[in-house]
Each structure stands twice: as structure tokens, then as C-alpha cells.
Amino acid sequence: MAKREKAKATAGAAPGRRDDPLAAPKRRRPQQERSRATVEHILDAAVAVLEKGGFEAMTMQTVADAAGVNIATAYSYFPNKHHVLAHLARARLDERLALLEAAFERLKASEDWIDGFCATLRELYRLRASQTGSVALRQAMHASPSLWQIDQEGNRRASILVADLLRARAGEGGDRGIQGRVIAEYVTATLDYLQHSEPDVREGTLDEIVELTRGYLRRIAGGQ
């Protein structure tokens, strides 16, 4: 009886680190040009599989087949599909954050920082739209709690960049940390929505998103 109760308690417990697919040990890093090319083939194949069948259809076998490599080769670089997706997600996220960091550093010294922020929002949309498999990858991240943590970490880092810009241009008044997080979460959610919109209404929708953001920033600046 005691063993049965213990088993039930274990089954109902919160997942531990061992249940996290990203906790699996990382495999070897590609050192030679040929190895790096193989990894790129695997990553490109993963995006193709993801766009065609979604998260559930993606396995290490389907990715290996699409990449034209044997399964052992795929596993030599990635222990599971979650690591493949995490690699893709972090690469795209780092590219977006680099865009924000560079733009916000310029805007800290600009009187027209609100207009500049809105222009950066348009740049961010164009970057996301140009990143292959962006929509399918975002959907896959929603399907996995481990991968979703990467997205949340990205929003946290973006919120810090926004908050620093607000402090530089709107002063220390108000809770810049909360305002930065609100903007980061809002921008992520609205750009997700935008990418799922019909192509013929995207520009108009983007215009509305930009104007909503402009109004919020003006309110923040007016209360400095």
C-alpha cells in the first residue's frame, strides 16, 4: 500500500529536471567546415519538416531523412528534436535582440526617440517575416514548456532593453521595469498576430500597432 501511494505521489509531482528534454547532454560541436555544413543541412531540414507537419510530425528521423543524413549523424549533433528547435529559436531570438540593442543605443541620444522606436518596430516585423520558418517555430515553442521558456527569456531580455531606453529618454519616474515588460510582451503578441493575419491586411494592421505603441510611449514621456 505504501509503495502504491508513493508511486501516485511521484506521478503527480511536478516534472523535475530529468523530465526536461533540454536537460539532455549536448552533443559535439561542429569544428570543421564539413561538419558545420552538415549541421546547417539538419537545421534547414528541421524547418522544412516543421513547416510541413508541425511539432508533432517532427522527429529526429524525419529531420535526418529530410537532411539526407543517417540518424546516427543527426544524433551526433543533437540529442533530441527539442535541442534542434532550441538552437533555431535562440539563433532567431539573438538576431532580433541584436537589432533592438543597436537601435535603442542610437535612440538614447535622439530627441525623436518615439518615432525611432516605431520605426524599429517596423524593422523588427520585417526581420521576423524574413526568418525562415518563423511562424512554424513559434507554434512549436507554444507546444513545449521547455521551448516556451526560451521565448520568455527573450521577452525578459527585450524588456530590459526597453526599460533602459525609457529611463534614458523619459527619466526615472514611474516603474520603467514594468513598462518595459508590458511593451515587450505586447510587441511579441501583436507581431505573432500580425504574422497570422491575411497578407492583404498586414500593412494596415502594422500601422495600427505602431500607432497604439506611439500613443503609449507619448503617455509615458508626458509623465516624466
mmCIF file of all heavy atoms in Angstrom, residues 182-200:
data_model
loop_
_atom_site.group_PDB
_atom_site.id
_atom_site.type_symbol
_atom_site.label_atom_id
_atom_site.label_comp_id
_atom_site.label_asym_id
_atom_site.label_seq_id
_atom_site.Cartn_x
_atom_site.Cartn_y
_atom_site.Cartn_z
ATOM 1 N N VAL A 182 5.717 45.288 -20.192
ATOM 2 C CA VAL A 182 4.438 45.416 -20.900
ATOM 3 C C VAL A 182 4.665 45.600 -22.400
ATOM 4 O O VAL A 182 4.028 44.944 -23.231
ATOM 5 C CB VAL A 182 3.616 46.594 -20.331
ATOM 6 C CG1 VAL A 182 2.448 46.939 -21.252
ATOM 7 C CG2 VAL A 182 3.092 46.250 -18.941
ATOM 8 N N ILE A 183 5.594 46.488 -22.733
ATOM 9 C CA ILE A 183 5.872 46.748 -24.147
ATOM 10 C C ILE A 183 6.448 45.512 -24.827
ATOM 11 O O ILE A 183 6.046 45.151 -25.943
ATOM 12 C CB ILE A 183 6.823 47.950 -24.298
ATOM 13 C CG1 ILE A 183 6.102 49.239 -23.860
ATOM 14 C CG2 ILE A 183 7.319 48.089 -25.739
ATOM 15 C CD1 ILE A 183 7.004 50.453 -23.770
ATOM 16 N N ALA A 184 7.383 44.835 -24.176
ATOM 17 C CA ALA A 184 7.999 43.641 -24.768
ATOM 18 C C ALA A 184 6.960 42.553 -25.023
ATOM 19 O O ALA A 184 6.939 41.937 -26.097
ATOM 20 C CB ALA A 184 9.111 43.119 -23.861
ATOM 21 N N GLU A 185 6.104 42.301 -24.034
ATOM 22 C CA GLU A 185 5.071 41.267 -24.180
ATOM 23 C C GLU A 185 4.052 41.668 -25.243
ATOM 24 O O GLU A 185 3.626 40.841 -26.053
ATOM 25 C CB GLU A 185 4.364 41.031 -22.845
ATOM 26 C CG GLU A 185 5.243 40.443 -21.748
ATOM 27 C CD GLU A 185 5.549 38.967 -21.954
ATOM 28 O OE1 GLU A 185 4.965 38.351 -22.872
ATOM 29 O OE2 GLU A 185 6.382 38.435 -21.200
ATOM 30 N N TYR A 186 3.682 42.943 -25.229
ATOM 31 C CA TYR A 186 2.699 43.451 -26.192
ATOM 32 C C TYR A 186 3.231 43.343 -27.624
ATOM 33 O O TYR A 186 2.524 42.890 -28.532
ATOM 34 C CB TYR A 186 2.357 44.894 -25.837
ATOM 35 C CG TYR A 186 1.806 45.736 -26.961
ATOM 36 C CD1 TYR A 186 0.496 45.600 -27.380
ATOM 37 C CD2 TYR A 186 2.610 46.681 -27.603
ATOM 38 C CE1 TYR A 186 -0.012 46.378 -28.409
ATOM 39 C CE2 TYR A 186 2.120 47.464 -28.620
ATOM 40 C CZ TYR A 186 0.806 47.309 -29.028
ATOM 41 O OH TYR A 186 0.307 48.075 -30.053
ATOM 42 N N VAL A 187 4.478 43.753 -27.826
ATOM 43 C CA VAL A 187 5.060 43.702 -29.163
ATOM 44 C C VAL A 187 5.160 42.262 -29.654
ATOM 45 O O VAL A 187 4.820 41.954 -30.803
ATOM 46 C CB VAL A 187 6.446 44.388 -29.186
ATOM 47 C CG1 VAL A 187 7.181 44.075 -30.479
ATOM 48 C CG2 VAL A 187 6.289 45.890 -29.022
ATOM 49 N N THR A 188 5.607 41.354 -28.801
ATOM 50 C CA THR A 188 5.705 39.946 -29.195
ATOM 51 C C THR A 188 4.343 39.393 -29.599
ATOM 52 O O THR A 188 4.199 38.751 -30.644
ATOM 53 C CB THR A 188 6.280 39.099 -28.042
ATOM 54 O OG1 THR A 188 7.608 39.540 -27.750
ATOM 55 C CG2 THR A 188 6.329 37.626 -28.419
ATOM 56 N N ALA A 189 3.332 39.649 -28.768
ATOM 57 C CA ALA A 189 1.992 39.128 -29.046
ATOM 58 C C ALA A 189 1.397 39.720 -30.318
ATOM 59 O O ALA A 189 0.794 39.009 -31.129
ATOM 60 C CB ALA A 189 1.074 39.401 -27.861
ATOM 61 N N THR A 190 1.581 41.020 -30.506
ATOM 62 C CA THR A 190 0.986 41.658 -31.680
ATOM 63 C C THR A 190 1.706 41.265 -32.966
ATOM 64 O O THR A 190 1.064 41.115 -34.016
ATOM 65 C CB THR A 190 0.980 43.191 -31.539
ATOM 66 O OG1 THR A 190 2.290 43.657 -31.209
ATOM 67 C CG2 THR A 190 0.014 43.633 -30.459
ATOM 68 N N LEU A 191 3.016 41.055 -32.901
ATOM 69 C CA LEU A 191 3.730 40.610 -34.094
ATOM 70 C C LEU A 191 3.379 39.158 -34.422
ATOM 71 O O LEU A 191 3.324 38.772 -35.595
ATOM 72 C CB LEU A 191 5.235 40.775 -33.919
ATOM 73 C CG LEU A 191 5.753 42.223 -33.883
ATOM 74 C CD1 LEU A 191 7.279 42.254 -33.825
ATOM 75 C CD2 LEU A 191 5.253 43.025 -35.088
ATOM 76 N N ASP A 192 3.133 38.346 -33.385
ATOM 77 C CA ASP A 192 2.631 36.987 -33.636
ATOM 78 C C ASP A 192 1.295 37.061 -34.372
ATOM 79 O O ASP A 192 1.063 36.350 -35.355
ATOM 80 C CB ASP A 192 2.431 36.231 -32.314
ATOM 81 C CG ASP A 192 3.733 35.695 -31.744
ATOM 82 O OD1 ASP A 192 4.738 35.640 -32.480
ATOM 83 O OD2 ASP A 192 3.741 35.316 -30.559
ATOM 84 N N TYR A 193 0.416 37.916 -33.874
ATOM 85 C CA TYR A 193 -0.887 38.089 -34.512
ATOM 86 C C TYR A 193 -0.730 38.570 -35.953
ATOM 87 O O TYR A 193 -1.422 38.091 -36.864
ATOM 88 C CB TYR A 193 -1.714 39.094 -33.713
ATOM 89 C CG TYR A 193 -2.970 39.554 -34.420
ATOM 90 C CD1 TYR A 193 -4.087 38.728 -34.493
ATOM 91 C CD2 TYR A 193 -3.019 40.814 -35.025
ATOM 92 C CE1 TYR A 193 -5.233 39.150 -35.161
ATOM 93 C CE2 TYR A 193 -4.163 41.241 -35.683
ATOM 94 C CZ TYR A 193 -5.265 40.402 -35.746
ATOM 95 O OH TYR A 193 -6.395 40.826 -36.412
ATOM 96 N N LEU A 194 0.175 39.497 -36.142
ATOM 97 C CA LEU A 194 0.385 40.078 -37.467
ATOM 98 C C LEU A 194 0.826 39.014 -38.467
ATOM 99 O O LEU A 194 0.352 38.977 -39.604
ATOM 100 C CB LEU A 194 1.440 41.183 -37.370
ATOM 101 C CG LEU A 194 1.577 42.142 -38.555
ATOM 102 C CD1 LEU A 194 0.288 42.916 -38.741
ATOM 103 C CD2 LEU A 194 2.734 43.089 -38.324
ATOM 104 N N GLN A 195 1.725 38.122 -38.035
ATOM 105 C CA GLN A 195 2.212 37.094 -38.944
ATOM 106 C C GLN A 195 1.145 36.066 -39.302
ATOM 107 O O GLN A 195 1.282 35.351 -40.292
ATOM 108 C CB GLN A 195 3.443 36.404 -38.343
ATOM 109 C CG GLN A 195 4.690 37.276 -38.365
ATOM 110 C CD GLN A 195 5.955 36.508 -38.062
ATOM 111 O OE1 GLN A 195 6.262 36.223 -36.911
ATOM 112 N NE2 GLN A 195 6.699 36.164 -39.094
ATOM 113 N N HIS A 196 0.086 35.996 -38.499
ATOM 114 C CA HIS A 196 -1.009 35.084 -38.800
ATOM 115 C C HIS A 196 -2.149 35.775 -39.546
ATOM 116 O O HIS A 196 -3.120 35.134 -39.928
ATOM 117 C CB HIS A 196 -1.557 34.467 -37.504
ATOM 118 C CG HIS A 196 -0.681 33.399 -36.934
ATOM 119 N ND1 HIS A 196 0.343 33.672 -36.052
ATOM 120 C CD2 HIS A 196 -0.649 32.054 -37.146
ATOM 121 C CE1 HIS A 196 0.949 32.538 -35.721
ATOM 122 N NE2 HIS A 196 0.376 31.553 -36.371
ATOM 123 N N SER A 197 -2.017 37.085 -39.748
ATOM 124 C CA SER A 197 -3.059 37.841 -40.451
ATOM 125 C C SER A 197 -3.000 37.549 -41.944
ATOM 126 O O SER A 197 -1.981 37.086 -42.474
ATOM 127 C CB SER A 197 -2.883 39.346 -40.207
ATOM 128 O OG SER A 197 -2.971 39.654 -38.840
ATOM 129 N N GLU A 198 -4.089 37.856 -42.620
ATOM 130 C CA GLU A 198 -4.117 37.722 -44.070
ATOM 131 C C GLU A 198 -3.146 38.728 -44.691
ATOM 132 O O GLU A 198 -3.053 39.869 -44.226
ATOM 133 C CB GLU A 198 -5.532 37.974 -44.603
ATOM 134 C CG GLU A 198 -6.559 36.942 -44.173
ATOM 135 C CD GLU A 198 -6.223 35.554 -44.694
ATOM 136 O OE1 GLU A 198 -5.725 35.460 -45.833
ATOM 137 O OE2 GLU A 198 -6.447 34.569 -43.969
ATOM 138 N N PRO A 199 -2.419 38.321 -45.737
ATOM 139 C CA PRO A 199 -1.411 39.205 -46.339
ATOM 140 C C PRO A 199 -1.934 40.577 -46.742
ATOM 141 O O PRO A 199 -1.224 41.575 -46.617
ATOM 142 C CB PRO A 199 -0.945 38.407 -47.572
ATOM 143 C CG PRO A 199 -1.165 36.976 -47.183
ATOM 144 C CD PRO A 199 -2.439 36.985 -46.372
ATOM 145 N N ASP A 200 -3.188 40.634 -47.201
ATOM 146 C CA ASP A 200 -3.697 41.907 -47.704
ATOM 147 C C ASP A 200 -4.060 42.900 -46.605
ATOM 148 O O ASP A 200 -4.371 44.066 -46.899
ATOM 149 C CB ASP A 200 -4.906 41.675 -48.622
ATOM 150 C CG ASP A 200 -6.056 40.968 -47.909
ATOM 151 O OD1 ASP A 200 -5.804 40.314 -46.882
ATOM 152 O OD2 ASP A 200 -7.202 41.070 -48.383
#
